[in-house]
Short mmCIF file of all heavy atoms in Angstrom, two decimals:
data_model
loop_
_atom_site.label_atom_id
_atom_site.label_comp_id
_atom_site.label_asym_id
_atom_site.label_seq_id
_atom_site.Cartn_x
_atom_site.Cartn_y
_atom_site.Cartn_z
N ALA F 574 1.28 13.88 -10.28
CA ALA F 574 2.04 14.20 -11.38
C ALA F 574 3.00 15.32 -10.97
O ALA F 574 4.11 15.40 -11.64
CB ALA F 574 1.13 14.60 -12.61
N LEU F 575 2.62 16.24 -10.25
CA LEU F 575 3.42 17.49 -9.93
C LEU F 575 4.57 16.97 -8.94
O LEU F 575 5.77 17.47 -9.24
CB LEU F 575 2.68 18.47 -9.10
CG LEU F 575 1.67 19.23 -10.07
CD1 LEU F 575 0.79 20.22 -9.27
CD2 LEU F 575 2.24 20.05 -11.22
N ILE F 576 4.24 16.05 -8.22
CA ILE F 576 5.47 15.59 -7.28
C ILE F 576 6.42 14.85 -8.06
O ILE F 576 7.72 15.01 -7.89
CB ILE F 576 4.77 14.74 -6.15
CG1 ILE F 576 4.02 15.40 -5.22
CG2 ILE F 576 5.96 13.94 -5.46
CD1 ILE F 576 3.31 14.67 -4.20
N GLN F 577 6.03 14.04 -9.05
CA GLN F 577 6.95 13.20 -9.85
C GLN F 577 7.79 14.22 -10.66
O GLN F 577 9.06 14.13 -10.89
CB GLN F 577 6.10 12.23 -10.91
CG GLN F 577 7.07 11.62 -11.92
CD GLN F 577 7.69 10.36 -11.09
OE1 GLN F 577 7.28 9.89 -10.24
NE2 GLN F 577 8.98 10.26 -11.53
N LYS F 578 7.16 15.23 -11.20
CA LYS F 578 7.81 16.27 -12.08
C LYS F 578 8.96 16.96 -11.24
O LYS F 578 10.01 17.19 -11.63
CB LYS F 578 6.89 17.14 -12.68
CG LYS F 578 7.54 18.23 -13.76
CD LYS F 578 6.34 19.10 -14.34
CE LYS F 578 7.12 20.11 -15.25
NZ LYS F 578 6.11 21.00 -15.87
N ALA F 579 8.49 17.36 -9.99
CA ALA F 579 9.30 18.15 -9.13
C ALA F 579 10.50 17.39 -8.45
O ALA F 579 11.68 17.71 -8.38
CB ALA F 579 8.60 18.71 -8.03
N TYR F 580 10.22 16.05 -8.13
CA TYR F 580 11.15 15.25 -7.29
C TYR F 580 11.49 13.94 -7.92
O TYR F 580 12.39 13.26 -7.36
CB TYR F 580 10.64 15.03 -5.94
CG TYR F 580 10.37 16.30 -5.13
CD1 TYR F 580 8.95 16.66 -4.99
CD2 TYR F 580 11.25 17.08 -4.46
CE1 TYR F 580 8.64 17.82 -4.30
CE2 TYR F 580 11.06 18.20 -3.84
CZ TYR F 580 9.69 18.60 -3.73
OH TYR F 580 9.40 19.65 -3.04
N GLY F 581 10.86 13.53 -8.92
CA GLY F 581 11.07 12.16 -9.48
C GLY F 581 12.47 11.81 -9.64
O GLY F 581 12.85 10.61 -9.52
N SER F 582 13.40 12.58 -10.14
CA SER F 582 14.74 12.23 -10.47
C SER F 582 15.55 12.15 -9.21
O SER F 582 16.66 11.58 -9.20
CB SER F 582 15.44 13.22 -11.34
OG SER F 582 15.39 14.47 -10.74
N ASN F 583 15.14 12.74 -8.07
CA ASN F 583 15.74 12.67 -6.83
C ASN F 583 15.32 11.72 -5.84
O ASN F 583 16.29 11.17 -4.88
CB ASN F 583 15.71 14.06 -6.07
CG ASN F 583 16.36 15.09 -6.97
OD1 ASN F 583 17.31 14.94 -7.61
ND2 ASN F 583 15.70 16.32 -6.93
N ILE F 584 14.10 11.20 -5.81
CA ILE F 584 13.56 10.30 -4.95
C ILE F 584 12.68 9.21 -5.69
O ILE F 584 12.11 9.61 -6.78
CB ILE F 584 12.75 10.91 -3.73
CG1 ILE F 584 11.56 11.74 -4.33
CG2 ILE F 584 13.73 11.78 -2.89
CD1 ILE F 584 10.54 12.31 -3.28
N ASN F 585 12.30 8.09 -5.10
CA ASN F 585 11.51 7.14 -5.70
C ASN F 585 9.97 7.62 -5.45
O ASN F 585 9.74 7.74 -4.28
CB ASN F 585 11.83 5.82 -5.18
CG ASN F 585 11.02 4.77 -5.73
OD1 ASN F 585 10.72 4.78 -6.95
ND2 ASN F 585 10.42 3.79 -5.10
N ILE F 586 9.28 7.67 -6.42
CA ILE F 586 7.79 8.18 -6.33
C ILE F 586 7.13 6.85 -6.76
O ILE F 586 7.23 6.23 -7.82
CB ILE F 586 7.48 9.25 -7.31
CG1 ILE F 586 8.37 10.49 -7.06
CG2 ILE F 586 5.93 9.53 -7.23
CD1 ILE F 586 8.06 11.14 -5.79
N PHE F 587 6.32 6.23 -5.78
CA PHE F 587 5.55 5.08 -6.04
C PHE F 587 4.33 5.36 -6.89
O PHE F 587 3.84 6.52 -6.94
CB PHE F 587 5.07 4.48 -4.76
CG PHE F 587 6.24 3.96 -3.80
CD1 PHE F 587 6.58 4.67 -2.75
CD2 PHE F 587 6.89 2.86 -4.27
CE1 PHE F 587 7.56 4.31 -1.90
CE2 PHE F 587 8.03 2.41 -3.34
CZ PHE F 587 8.29 3.09 -2.20
N THR F 588 3.99 4.28 -7.80
CA THR F 588 2.79 4.58 -8.64
C THR F 588 1.54 4.34 -8.01
O THR F 588 0.58 4.86 -8.47
CB THR F 588 2.93 3.66 -10.02
OG1 THR F 588 3.08 2.34 -9.58
CG2 THR F 588 4.25 4.07 -10.73
N SER F 589 1.52 3.48 -7.02
CA SER F 589 0.30 3.17 -6.17
C SER F 589 -0.08 4.49 -5.55
O SER F 589 0.48 5.17 -4.95
CB SER F 589 0.59 2.16 -5.12
OG SER F 589 1.09 0.94 -5.64
N GLN F 590 -1.56 4.50 -5.61
CA GLN F 590 -2.21 5.63 -5.05
C GLN F 590 -3.33 5.04 -3.98
O GLN F 590 -4.02 4.15 -4.44
CB GLN F 590 -2.90 6.56 -6.05
CG GLN F 590 -1.83 7.30 -6.80
CD GLN F 590 -2.54 8.29 -7.77
OE1 GLN F 590 -3.71 8.61 -7.65
NE2 GLN F 590 -1.74 8.61 -8.66
N ILE F 591 -3.27 5.41 -2.85
CA ILE F 591 -4.19 4.85 -1.81
C ILE F 591 -5.45 5.80 -1.84
O ILE F 591 -5.31 6.93 -1.46
CB ILE F 591 -3.50 4.83 -0.33
CG1 ILE F 591 -2.23 4.16 -0.29
CG2 ILE F 591 -4.67 4.16 0.66
CD1 ILE F 591 -2.30 2.79 -0.87
N PRO F 592 -6.71 5.34 -2.18
CA PRO F 592 -7.88 6.17 -2.28
C PRO F 592 -8.48 6.38 -0.94
O PRO F 592 -8.26 5.54 0.05
CB PRO F 592 -8.78 5.40 -3.31
CG PRO F 592 -8.31 3.90 -3.08
CD PRO F 592 -6.81 3.99 -2.66
N ALA F 593 -9.21 7.34 -0.88
CA ALA F 593 -10.05 7.50 0.35
C ALA F 593 -11.28 6.61 0.34
O ALA F 593 -11.68 6.27 -0.79
CB ALA F 593 -10.60 8.95 0.31
N SER F 594 -11.65 6.05 1.50
CA SER F 594 -12.73 5.08 1.56
C SER F 594 -13.30 5.12 2.92
O SER F 594 -12.55 5.03 3.88
CB SER F 594 -12.26 3.68 1.19
OG SER F 594 -13.25 2.81 1.31
N VAL F 595 -14.56 5.24 3.01
CA VAL F 595 -15.42 5.03 4.30
C VAL F 595 -15.08 3.67 4.99
O VAL F 595 -14.94 3.54 6.21
CB VAL F 595 -16.87 5.19 4.02
CG1 VAL F 595 -17.61 4.83 5.36
CG2 VAL F 595 -17.09 6.58 3.67
N LYS F 596 -14.84 2.64 4.08
CA LYS F 596 -14.52 1.30 4.63
C LYS F 596 -13.19 1.26 5.54
O LYS F 596 -13.18 0.49 6.40
CB LYS F 596 -14.34 0.31 3.48
CG LYS F 596 -15.71 0.07 2.72
CD LYS F 596 -16.75 -0.35 3.53
CE LYS F 596 -18.21 -0.60 2.66
NZ LYS F 596 -19.22 -0.85 3.49
N MET F 597 -12.41 2.03 5.25
CA MET F 597 -11.14 2.21 6.01
C MET F 597 -11.53 2.62 7.48
O MET F 597 -10.96 2.03 8.55
CB MET F 597 -10.05 3.00 5.46
CG MET F 597 -8.85 3.02 6.04
SD MET F 597 -7.99 1.42 5.68
CE MET F 597 -6.29 1.72 6.30
N SER F 598 -12.30 3.57 7.54
CA SER F 598 -12.74 4.05 8.92
C SER F 598 -13.66 3.02 9.58
O SER F 598 -13.51 2.77 10.72
CB SER F 598 -13.70 5.29 8.76
OG SER F 598 -12.84 6.41 8.24
N GLU F 599 -14.53 2.36 8.84
CA GLU F 599 -15.36 1.31 9.48
C GLU F 599 -14.45 0.22 9.94
O GLU F 599 -14.67 -0.32 11.07
CB GLU F 599 -16.24 0.67 8.42
CG GLU F 599 -17.39 1.70 8.00
CD GLU F 599 -18.24 1.14 6.89
OE1 GLU F 599 -18.03 -0.16 6.47
OE2 GLU F 599 -19.09 1.80 6.42
N ALA F 600 -13.38 -0.25 9.21
CA ALA F 600 -12.45 -1.32 9.77
C ALA F 600 -11.86 -0.88 11.02
O ALA F 600 -11.78 -1.62 11.89
CB ALA F 600 -11.38 -1.51 8.62
N SER F 601 -11.41 0.26 11.06
CA SER F 601 -10.77 0.89 12.26
C SER F 601 -11.76 0.79 13.39
O SER F 601 -11.32 0.43 14.58
CB SER F 601 -10.31 2.32 12.08
OG SER F 601 -9.71 2.81 13.21
N MET F 602 -13.01 1.15 13.32
CA MET F 602 -13.97 1.19 14.32
C MET F 602 -14.27 -0.26 14.83
O MET F 602 -14.63 -0.47 15.91
CB MET F 602 -15.40 1.77 13.81
CG MET F 602 -15.21 3.23 13.69
SD MET F 602 -16.79 4.16 13.32
CE MET F 602 -17.53 3.05 12.16
N HIS F 603 -14.02 -1.24 13.91
CA HIS F 603 -14.15 -2.67 14.29
C HIS F 603 -12.91 -3.32 14.83
O HIS F 603 -12.74 -4.51 15.01
CB HIS F 603 -14.86 -3.41 13.14
CG HIS F 603 -16.19 -3.18 12.84
ND1 HIS F 603 -16.66 -2.18 11.96
CD2 HIS F 603 -17.31 -3.57 13.31
CE1 HIS F 603 -18.05 -2.13 11.88
NE2 HIS F 603 -18.38 -2.98 12.76
N ASN F 604 -11.95 -2.43 15.04
CA ASN F 604 -10.49 -2.85 15.39
C ASN F 604 -9.99 -4.05 14.57
O ASN F 604 -9.35 -4.99 14.90
CB ASN F 604 -10.61 -3.47 16.94
CG ASN F 604 -10.68 -2.27 17.83
OD1 ASN F 604 -10.19 -1.18 17.64
ND2 ASN F 604 -11.42 -2.54 18.92
N LYS F 605 -10.21 -3.80 13.12
CA LYS F 605 -9.69 -4.74 12.27
C LYS F 605 -8.93 -4.07 11.12
O LYS F 605 -9.10 -2.77 11.01
CB LYS F 605 -10.83 -5.51 11.52
CG LYS F 605 -11.59 -6.37 12.45
CD LYS F 605 -12.65 -7.18 11.64
CE LYS F 605 -13.43 -8.13 12.54
NZ LYS F 605 -14.22 -9.13 11.83
N SER F 606 -8.00 -4.80 10.58
CA SER F 606 -7.25 -4.12 9.41
C SER F 606 -8.17 -4.12 8.37
O SER F 606 -9.14 -4.96 8.22
CB SER F 606 -5.94 -4.82 9.11
OG SER F 606 -6.30 -6.11 8.59
N ILE F 607 -7.86 -3.36 7.34
CA ILE F 607 -8.75 -3.42 6.03
C ILE F 607 -8.73 -4.69 5.27
O ILE F 607 -9.56 -5.20 4.75
CB ILE F 607 -8.33 -2.17 5.05
CG1 ILE F 607 -9.43 -2.17 3.95
CG2 ILE F 607 -6.93 -2.52 4.47
CD1 ILE F 607 -10.77 -1.57 4.43
N TYR F 608 -7.55 -5.42 5.60
CA TYR F 608 -7.40 -6.81 4.97
C TYR F 608 -8.34 -7.77 5.61
O TYR F 608 -8.84 -8.67 5.04
CB TYR F 608 -5.95 -7.31 5.17
CG TYR F 608 -4.95 -6.38 4.53
CD1 TYR F 608 -4.06 -5.80 5.13
CD2 TYR F 608 -5.02 -6.23 3.14
CE1 TYR F 608 -3.11 -5.00 4.61
CE2 TYR F 608 -3.95 -5.49 2.48
CZ TYR F 608 -3.14 -4.83 3.32
OH TYR F 608 -2.05 -3.97 2.72
N GLU F 609 -8.62 -7.59 6.97
CA GLU F 609 -9.63 -8.49 7.69
C GLU F 609 -11.07 -8.07 7.45
O GLU F 609 -11.84 -8.97 7.26
CB GLU F 609 -9.37 -8.39 9.25
CG GLU F 609 -7.90 -8.94 9.65
CD GLU F 609 -7.68 -8.55 11.08
OE1 GLU F 609 -7.83 -7.35 11.46
OE2 GLU F 609 -7.31 -9.44 11.86
N TYR F 610 -11.27 -6.78 7.42
CA TYR F 610 -12.60 -6.23 7.24
C TYR F 610 -13.16 -6.43 5.83
O TYR F 610 -14.27 -6.91 5.57
CB TYR F 610 -12.58 -4.76 7.69
CG TYR F 610 -14.00 -4.11 7.74
CD1 TYR F 610 -14.85 -4.54 8.73
CD2 TYR F 610 -14.37 -3.20 6.80
CE1 TYR F 610 -16.11 -3.93 8.87
CE2 TYR F 610 -15.76 -2.58 6.98
CZ TYR F 610 -16.49 -2.97 7.96
OH TYR F 610 -17.77 -2.53 8.15
N GLN F 611 -12.47 -6.05 4.93
CA GLN F 611 -12.82 -6.14 3.52
C GLN F 611 -11.58 -6.33 2.58
O GLN F 611 -11.08 -5.36 2.05
CB GLN F 611 -13.56 -5.00 2.96
CG GLN F 611 -15.10 -5.00 3.24
CD GLN F 611 -15.97 -4.13 2.36
OE1 GLN F 611 -15.29 -3.10 1.95
NE2 GLN F 611 -17.14 -4.32 2.25
N PRO F 612 -11.09 -7.53 2.43
CA PRO F 612 -9.84 -7.77 1.73
C PRO F 612 -9.78 -7.35 0.28
O PRO F 612 -8.81 -7.19 -0.27
CB PRO F 612 -9.63 -9.26 1.95
CG PRO F 612 -10.88 -9.77 2.33
CD PRO F 612 -11.70 -8.78 2.98
N ASN F 613 -11.06 -7.35 -0.34
CA ASN F 613 -11.07 -6.96 -1.74
C ASN F 613 -11.52 -5.51 -1.99
O ASN F 613 -11.77 -5.12 -3.15
CB ASN F 613 -11.96 -8.01 -2.58
CG ASN F 613 -11.43 -9.39 -2.45
OD1 ASN F 613 -10.30 -9.56 -2.70
ND2 ASN F 613 -12.25 -10.35 -2.31
N ASN F 614 -11.46 -4.64 -0.94
CA ASN F 614 -11.92 -3.33 -1.04
C ASN F 614 -10.71 -2.60 -1.88
O ASN F 614 -9.54 -3.07 -1.78
CB ASN F 614 -11.95 -2.78 0.44
CG ASN F 614 -12.35 -1.23 0.29
OD1 ASN F 614 -11.41 -0.41 0.28
ND2 ASN F 614 -13.59 -0.95 0.32
N LYS F 615 -11.09 -1.54 -2.50
CA LYS F 615 -10.18 -0.79 -3.28
C LYS F 615 -8.97 -0.34 -2.47
O LYS F 615 -7.74 -0.26 -2.95
CB LYS F 615 -10.74 0.47 -3.99
CG LYS F 615 -11.29 1.57 -3.09
CD LYS F 615 -12.04 2.61 -3.82
CE LYS F 615 -12.67 3.53 -2.85
NZ LYS F 615 -13.28 4.65 -3.65
N VAL F 616 -9.05 -0.03 -1.16
CA VAL F 616 -8.03 0.46 -0.28
C VAL F 616 -7.15 -0.71 0.01
O VAL F 616 -5.81 -0.55 -0.20
CB VAL F 616 -8.55 1.14 1.01
CG1 VAL F 616 -7.48 1.39 2.02
CG2 VAL F 616 -9.47 2.38 0.65
N ALA F 617 -7.73 -1.88 0.27
CA ALA F 617 -6.76 -3.07 0.57
C ALA F 617 -6.00 -3.43 -0.64
O ALA F 617 -4.84 -3.75 -0.55
CB ALA F 617 -7.72 -4.16 1.00
N LEU F 618 -6.62 -3.25 -1.77
CA LEU F 618 -5.91 -3.77 -3.01
C LEU F 618 -4.77 -2.68 -3.32
O LEU F 618 -3.72 -3.08 -3.76
CB LEU F 618 -6.86 -3.87 -4.11
CG LEU F 618 -8.08 -4.91 -4.07
CD1 LEU F 618 -8.98 -4.85 -5.15
CD2 LEU F 618 -7.36 -6.23 -3.95
N ALA F 619 -5.16 -1.44 -2.98
CA ALA F 619 -4.12 -0.46 -3.26
C ALA F 619 -2.85 -0.59 -2.30
O ALA F 619 -1.74 -0.44 -2.75
CB ALA F 619 -4.69 1.01 -3.13
N TYR F 620 -3.15 -0.90 -1.06
CA TYR F 620 -2.08 -1.21 -0.14
C TYR F 620 -1.23 -2.35 -0.53
O TYR F 620 0.00 -2.43 -0.38
CB TYR F 620 -2.58 -1.37 1.33
CG TYR F 620 -2.79 -0.06 2.01
CD1 TYR F 620 -3.94 0.41 2.37
CD2 TYR F 620 -1.50 0.69 2.37
CE1 TYR F 620 -3.93 1.76 3.22
CE2 TYR F 620 -1.64 1.90 3.02
CZ TYR F 620 -2.86 2.41 3.31
OH TYR F 620 -2.89 3.61 4.11
N LYS F 621 -1.86 -3.41 -1.13
CA LYS F 621 -1.21 -4.54 -1.59
C LYS F 621 -0.33 -4.27 -2.77
O LYS F 621 0.85 -4.70 -2.82
CB LYS F 621 -2.22 -5.72 -1.97
CG LYS F 621 -2.89 -6.37 -0.87
CD LYS F 621 -3.75 -7.49 -1.33
CE LYS F 621 -4.62 -8.03 -0.16
NZ LYS F 621 -5.56 -9.18 -0.58
N GLN F 622 -0.83 -3.38 -3.60
CA GLN F 622 0.02 -2.94 -4.77
C GLN F 622 1.20 -2.19 -4.28
O GLN F 622 2.33 -2.36 -4.74
CB GLN F 622 -0.90 -2.08 -5.65
CG GLN F 622 -0.02 -1.58 -6.98
CD GLN F 622 -0.86 -0.80 -7.80
OE1 GLN F 622 -2.17 -0.70 -7.80
NE2 GLN F 622 -0.40 -0.14 -8.76
N LEU F 623 1.01 -1.27 -3.19
CA LEU F 623 2.06 -0.45 -2.71
C LEU F 623 3.14 -1.54 -1.96
O LEU F 623 4.36 -1.25 -2.25
CB LEU F 623 1.53 0.53 -1.76
CG LEU F 623 2.65 1.38 -0.96
CD1 LEU F 623 3.47 2.19 -1.90
CD2 LEU F 623 2.01 2.33 0.02
N THR F 624 2.57 -2.44 -1.26
CA THR F 624 3.57 -3.44 -0.69
C THR F 624 4.39 -4.00 -1.76
O THR F 624 5.60 -4.25 -1.47
CB THR F 624 2.69 -4.47 0.10
OG1 THR F 624 1.96 -3.82 1.17
CG2 THR F 624 3.53 -5.46 0.80
N GLY F 625 3.87 -4.44 -2.96
CA GLY F 625 4.62 -5.04 -3.97
C GLY F 625 5.66 -4.06 -4.40
O GLY F 625 6.75 -4.55 -4.74
N GLU F 626 5.37 -2.81 -4.60
CA GLU F 626 6.38 -1.87 -5.07
C GLU F 626 7.55 -1.74 -4.07
O GLU F 626 8.64 -1.71 -4.49
CB GLU F 626 5.65 -0.45 -5.25
CG GLU F 626 4.82 -0.41 -6.54
CD GLU F 626 4.37 1.07 -6.70
OE1 GLU F 626 5.22 1.90 -6.94
OE2 GLU F 626 3.19 1.33 -6.59
N ILE F 627 7.13 -1.72 -2.91
CA ILE F 627 8.18 -1.46 -1.87
C ILE F 627 9.06 -2.81 -1.76
O ILE F 627 10.38 -2.74 -1.64
CB ILE F 627 7.54 -1.16 -0.41
CG1 ILE F 627 6.98 0.13 -0.40
CG2 ILE F 627 8.64 -1.28 0.69
CD1 ILE F 627 5.98 0.45 0.72
N SER F 628 8.46 -3.95 -1.89
CA SER F 628 9.19 -5.26 -1.80
C SER F 628 10.25 -5.23 -3.03
O SER F 628 11.24 -5.82 -2.75
CB SER F 628 8.20 -6.35 -1.96
OG SER F 628 7.43 -6.49 -0.81
N LYS F 629 9.89 -4.78 -4.24
CA LYS F 629 10.71 -4.84 -5.25
C LYS F 629 12.03 -4.00 -4.94
O LYS F 629 13.10 -4.23 -5.47
CB LYS F 629 10.10 -4.28 -6.59
CG LYS F 629 9.13 -5.24 -7.11
CD LYS F 629 8.44 -4.66 -8.28
CE LYS F 629 7.37 -5.66 -8.85
NZ LYS F 629 6.62 -5.06 -9.94
N ILE F 630 11.93 -3.01 -4.17
CA ILE F 630 13.01 -2.08 -3.80
C ILE F 630 13.94 -2.79 -2.67
O ILE F 630 15.12 -2.68 -2.79
CB ILE F 630 12.59 -0.71 -3.43
CG1 ILE F 630 11.91 0.05 -4.63
CG2 ILE F 630 13.74 0.19 -2.85
CD1 ILE F 630 11.17 1.30 -4.27
N ILE F 631 13.16 -3.33 -1.65
CA ILE F 631 13.84 -3.87 -0.47
C ILE F 631 14.37 -5.16 -0.75
O ILE F 631 15.56 -5.55 -0.30
CB ILE F 631 12.78 -3.94 0.64
CG1 ILE F 631 12.40 -2.53 1.05
CG2 ILE F 631 13.31 -4.70 1.82
CD1 ILE F 631 11.39 -2.39 2.07
N GLU F 632 13.83 -6.01 -1.60
CA GLU F 632 14.36 -7.46 -1.74
C GLU F 632 15.77 -7.44 -2.22
O GLU F 632 16.57 -8.27 -1.64
CB GLU F 632 13.49 -8.15 -2.85
CG GLU F 632 12.16 -8.61 -2.23
CD GLU F 632 12.17 -9.81 -1.23
OE1 GLU F 632 13.13 -10.60 -1.33
OE2 GLU F 632 11.33 -9.75 -0.24
N PRO F 633 16.29 -6.61 -3.08
CA PRO F 633 17.72 -6.80 -3.50
C PRO F 633 18.58 -6.31 -2.33
O PRO F 633 19.74 -6.73 -2.27
CB PRO F 633 17.72 -5.79 -4.76
CG PRO F 633 16.41 -5.62 -5.21
CD PRO F 633 15.43 -5.85 -3.98
N ILE F 634 18.10 -5.43 -1.46
CA ILE F 634 18.94 -4.86 -0.41
C ILE F 634 18.95 -5.80 0.76
O ILE F 634 20.00 -6.07 1.41
CB ILE F 634 18.36 -3.53 0.00
CG1 ILE F 634 18.44 -2.44 -1.13
CG2 ILE F 634 19.11 -3.01 1.28
CD1 ILE F 634 17.66 -1.30 -0.94
N ILE F 635 17.71 -6.32 1.18
CA ILE F 635 17.67 -7.29 2.20
C ILE F 635 16.89 -8.46 1.84
O ILE F 635 15.65 -8.60 2.08
CB ILE F 635 16.71 -6.53 3.36
CG1 ILE F 635 17.39 -5.16 3.67
CG2 ILE F 635 16.76 -7.49 4.62
CD1 ILE F 635 16.63 -4.35 4.74
N PRO F 636 17.52 -9.43 1.26
CA PRO F 636 16.86 -10.65 0.70
C PRO F 636 16.45 -11.50 1.79
O PRO F 636 17.10 -11.86 2.78
CB PRO F 636 17.88 -11.37 -0.11
CG PRO F 636 19.20 -10.84 0.26
CD PRO F 636 18.94 -9.42 0.93
N HIS F 637 15.14 -11.95 1.81
CA HIS F 637 14.52 -12.78 2.68
C HIS F 637 13.21 -13.23 2.19
O HIS F 637 12.63 -12.70 1.31
CB HIS F 637 14.38 -12.23 4.19
CG HIS F 637 13.39 -10.92 4.25
ND1 HIS F 637 13.68 -9.79 3.83
CD2 HIS F 637 12.17 -10.97 4.64
CE1 HIS F 637 12.69 -8.96 3.93
NE2 HIS F 637 11.70 -9.68 4.43
N LYS F 638 12.74 -14.28 2.80
CA LYS F 638 11.36 -14.72 2.30
C LYS F 638 10.26 -13.79 2.85
O LYS F 638 10.35 -13.43 4.07
CB LYS F 638 11.15 -16.20 2.93
CG LYS F 638 11.75 -17.23 2.20
CD LYS F 638 11.08 -18.51 2.66
CE LYS F 638 11.55 -19.63 1.71
NZ LYS F 638 11.01 -20.94 2.06
N THR F 639 9.42 -13.34 2.07
CA THR F 639 8.33 -12.45 2.49
C THR F 639 7.06 -13.24 2.38
O THR F 639 6.86 -14.04 1.62
CB THR F 639 8.17 -11.31 1.51
OG1 THR F 639 7.96 -11.73 0.15
CG2 THR F 639 9.40 -10.42 1.53
N LYS F 640 6.23 -12.91 3.39
CA LYS F 640 4.94 -13.65 3.41
C LYS F 640 3.95 -12.77 2.76
O LYS F 640 3.93 -11.55 2.70
CB LYS F 640 4.45 -13.64 4.93
CG LYS F 640 3.14 -14.34 5.13
CD LYS F 640 2.85 -14.25 6.76
CE LYS F 640 1.32 -14.92 6.90
NZ LYS F 640 1.03 -14.73 8.21
N SER F 641 3.17 -13.47 1.77
CA SER F 641 2.19 -12.81 0.98
C SER F 641 1.05 -12.39 1.86
O SER F 641 0.66 -13.08 2.79
CB SER F 641 1.64 -13.79 -0.09
OG SER F 641 2.39 -13.70 -1.25
N LEU F 642 0.34 -11.23 1.46
CA LEU F 642 -0.80 -10.77 2.19
C LEU F 642 -2.03 -11.51 1.84
O LEU F 642 -2.30 -11.93 0.85
CB LEU F 642 -1.07 -9.25 1.93
CG LEU F 642 0.14 -8.45 2.38
CD1 LEU F 642 -0.26 -7.00 2.11
CD2 LEU F 642 0.21 -8.48 4.07
#
């Protein structure tokens, strides 16, 4: 909230928040992405949400087919 208040009018602040999770470390130890290790984990879902936010900004600038996660 403080970042939004301080910089929100000057830069894009994404609404997605990536939570901390032990599963992210576990995925890394198994040499897997969080999508491969636990696709329905809160971290994986948060990254998917962030990807959607970024896509909405990029699509009008660089239109192309995007592959769903």
Side-chain angles (χ1 to χ4, degrees):
L575 293 174
I576 293 173
Q577 181 70 38
K578 186 176 179 180
Y580 301 105
S582 62
N583 298 319
I584 61 173
N585 184 38
I586 305 293
F587 296 106
T588 59
S589 300
Q590 294 183 15
I591 309 302
S594 173
V595 172
K596 297 298 179 188
M597 192 70 176
S598 297
E599 289 175 6
S601 180
M602 289 188 319
H603 288 90
N604 289 327
K605 293 186 175 186
S606 72
I607 191 66
Y608 302 115
E609 295 169 310
Y610 188 68
Q611 274 201 335
N613 293 319
N614 178 271
K615 63 184 178 180
V616 174
L618 298 175
Y620 273 113
K621 286 180 185 179
Q622 182 180 346
L623 177 61
T624 302
E626 286 187 63
I627 293 169
S628 292
K629 287 179 185 176
I630 294 168
I631 292 175
E632 285 291 327
I634 299 167
I635 308 170
H637 64 283
K638 282 191 169 184
T639 56
K640 182 179 176 184
S641 270
L642 294 177

